[in-house]
Amino acid sequence: MLVEHIMFEFLMALCLFNEVACRQQTIINYAVRSAEIHNIDSNKFLELISCESRFDEQALGDYSTTTKKHRALGLLQWHEGSFNSYSKNYNIKGARGDSFTQIDLAVLVIRDGGIGNWYTCGKRTGLIKVRELALGW
C-alpha cells in the first residue's frame, strides 16, 4: 500500500510539471494494472506496446500501397476490422484511437490466446513462445 501511495504522489507531482510525461505514465500504469488483472506478464505487455508503437498514441502502421493509407492505429496498432470484431465480441465500447480502449481490448484478446494478432512483436517480446510457433502461429 505504501508503494502505491508513493507512486500516486509521484504521478501527481509529475502531472504538475509535465503534461505529456504525466499522460504517458498514466498509460503505463493503466497497461500494467490491466495486464496483471488478466494474468499477463506486465513487463512483456509493456514491451509489446513499445514494439508496436513506442508508446506513441498517434502511431500509424501497416501502410497499404493499394489504398495509400495506414491500416494500423495507436498504441497497439489495431486494424479497423480486427478492432471492430473483437470490440463486438467482448462488448467493449470506445474508439479505436483511444489508448485505454486499445489496452482494454488487447488484454482480453491476449488473455484468450489471441496474441497472434501481434505476431512479430509477440515473438520479439516472448509473449508468443516457441511451442506456439511450432503449432503454426
Side-chain angles (χ1 to χ4, degrees):
M1 190 70 168
L2 178 63
V3 172
E4 287 182 1
H5 178 73
I6 292 170
M7 287 303 296
F8 176 77
E9 292 295 324
F10 169 75
L11 185 57
M12 297 315 307
L14 181 65
C15 291
L16 289 174
F17 298 104
N18 188 327
E19 196 173 310
V20 173
C22 176
R23 171 83 177 168
Q24 189 168 46
Q25 189 60 50
T26 300
I27 289 168
I28 289 169
N29 290 349
Y30 189 81
V32 166
R33 294 294 278 258
S34 298
E36 288 172 347
I37 287 168
H38 295 287
N39 296 315
I40 297 166
D41 182 315
S42 59
N43 289 322
K44 288 182 179 180
F45 188 61
L46 292 177
E47 288 175 27
L48 180 72
I49 295 171
S50 180
C51 178
E52 289 291 341
S53 66
R54 299 190 192 280
F55 286 91
D56 178 356
E57 294 183 84
Q58 307 304 316
L60 299 172
D62 296 344
Y63 183 78
S64 169
T65 56
T66 305
T67 64
K68 302 201 182 326
K69 292 182 181 180
H70 290 93
R71 296 177 296 177
L73 171 71
L75 285 181
L76 285 146
Q77 293 292 284
W78 279 103
H79 286 228
E80 186 174 15
S82 297
F83 180 85
N84 291 341
S85 177
Y86 283 118
S87 291
K88 184 177 179 182
N89 290 346
Y90 287 105
N91 198 29
I92 295 288
K93 307 293 184 218
R96 180 169 66 120
D98 178 72
S99 296
F100 298 99
T101 303
Q102 287 210 1
I103 290 167
D104 289 342
L105 190 55
V107 293
L108 294 172
V109 171
I110 293 168
R111 177 199 67 191
D112 292 345
I115 186 59
N117 288 281
W118 299 275
Y119 184 76
T120 300
C121 289
K123 285 192 313 184
R124 287 183 186 156
T125 62
L127 283 169
I128 294 179
K129 306 203 179 12
V130 174
R131 180 182 164 279
E132 293 164 338
L133 290 173
L135 295 174
W137 278 39

